[in-house]
Amino acid sequence: MDGEAAPVRINAGQVAGGHFRYYDYVMAAFCVILVLSNVVGAAKVATLGGLTFGAGILFFPLSYVLGDVLTEIYGYARARRVIWAGFGATIFAAVMCWVIVVMPPAPGWGGQEVYEAAFGQVWRIVGASVIAFWAGEFVNSYVLARMKILTSGRHLWSRTIGSTVFGQGVDSLIFYPLAFLGVWTTGQVITVMLTNWGLKVLWEVLLTPVTYAVVGFLKRREGVDVYDEGTDFTPFRTRV
C-alpha cells in the first residue's frame, strides 16, 4: 500500500492479496537472522559475566521482534507466510551444512575438522530447533494478533512482550527437552530452559523502543493498521 498518510484501521481481509512497500524486506531480514542465528550461532557456547549461554541467543530473539512487527503491521496471514519461509530456509541450511560436511575432503586440505566443529550439528538438535521455532513463532503471532484486537491497538508493549512470553515459552519448552533430555540431567535441562527463556524475554523488553520505532515507521509508510478480525488462524496455509 503506497502513501505516507496516517495509518487507517482496516480488517486483514481488506488487504488480502494486496502489495506492501516493505513487506518483502522484512521477510528477507527475518529469514536471514533466523538462518544465521541457527547455523552460525548454534555451534558456540559463550560466557559473559559468569553466565554461560549459546551465542545464538544474542541474535535469535531478533526473529521474534521481526515476527511481532510482521503481525502488528501486516497481519497474521502475512506473518504466517514468513514463518513458513523461515522454516523452509532453516531446513535447507541444515541440509546444506550436512552435505558439505560429509563430502570427502580433497587430499591436502586441512579444514575438515574445523568444518565439522562449526557446521556438523547433531541432527537431534537441528530437528528440535526447527520444531520449536515453528511452534513458538506461530504462538507468538497468534497471541499478538488476538491481543491487538483486545487492546484495540493500544499498549503495543503489552502485546509484544506478552506474545514473546508465550512464544518463547513454547519454543524453550519444546527445544530443550527434545534436544538434551537424556544427555543432560533433568535438572540441567530445566535450569537452562528457564534461564534462556528469561533471557529471551528480557531481550524483547530491552528492544521495545526499537520495536516501537520500526512499527511506527512502517505504519506511516504503509498507511494502514491491520486488525485480524475474522482471520483464519490455522498455521497450515501460506495464502494471504
Side-chain angles (χ1 to χ4, degrees):
M1 300 296 173
D2 294 331
E4 297 183 32
V8 178
R9 173 171 177 162
I10 60 173
N11 188 284
Q14 295 176 256
V15 292
H19 175 72
F20 288 92
R21 271 186 184 178
Y22 295 97
Y23 173 71
D24 295 339
Y25 297 113
V26 181
M27 173 188 279
F30 178 92
C31 291
V32 167
I33 291 170
L34 179 66
V35 170
L36 291 180
S37 62
N38 277 284
V39 174
V40 178
K44 181 169 183 176
V45 177
T47 299
L48 280 175
L51 187 65
T52 300
F53 53 90
I57 198 175
L58 292 176
F59 298 97
F60 177 71
L62 292 174
S63 67
Y64 273 79
V65 173
L66 288 177
D68 291 343
V69 170
L70 282 160
T71 305
E72 176 71 20
I73 303 298
Y74 304 107
Y76 177 86
R78 283 180 172 78
R80 174 175 58 198
R81 189 179 185 89
V82 173
I83 292 169
W84 277 110
F87 180 79
T90 303
I91 291 177
F92 175 80
V95 171
M96 180 177 172
C97 287
W98 175 76
V99 170
I100 291 174
V101 167
V102 300
M103 288 178 69
W109 186 72
Q112 181 65 18
E113 291 184 1
V114 176
Y115 255 77
E116 289 177 358
F119 300 112
Q121 300 178 46
V122 178
W123 277 99
R124 177 180 174 182
I125 295 176
V126 173
S129 176
V130 170
I131 294 169
F133 152 75
W134 184 88
E137 279 288 354
F138 273 116
V139 169
N140 182 77
S141 184
Y142 174 80
V143 171
L144 190 142
R146 286 296 198 187
M147 286 185 68
K148 184 173 183 179
I149 296 172
L150 290 174
T151 60
S152 297
R154 299 188 298 272
H155 312 306
L156 175 61
W157 62 269
S158 66
R159 51 187 182 275
T160 59
I161 296 173
S163 63
T164 299
V165 168
F166 285 98
Q168 292 284 12
V170 169
D171 186 297
S172 298
L173 192 61
I174 292 174
F175 174 70
Y176 291 100
L178 281 182
F180 300 113
L181 202 59
V183 179
W184 299 347
T185 66
T186 301
Q188 287 175 320
V189 171
I190 293 173
T191 298
V192 174
M193 179 176 66
L194 292 176
T195 300
N196 280 271
W197 174 64
L199 287 172
K200 291 173 182 178
V201 173
L202 176 61
W203 197 214
E204 173 74 40
V205 172
L206 294 175
L207 288 173
T208 295
V210 177
T211 305
Y212 264 81
V214 174
V215 166
F217 170 80
L218 289 175
K219 281 186 179 180
R220 290 191 301 272
R221 298 287 288 180
E222 302 289 15
V224 295
D225 193 8
V226 177
Y227 284 73
D228 281 292
E229 295 165 329
T231 294
D232 180 359
F233 285 101
T234 176
F236 301 107
R237 60 185 299 181
T238 59
R239 193 174 67 184
V240 297

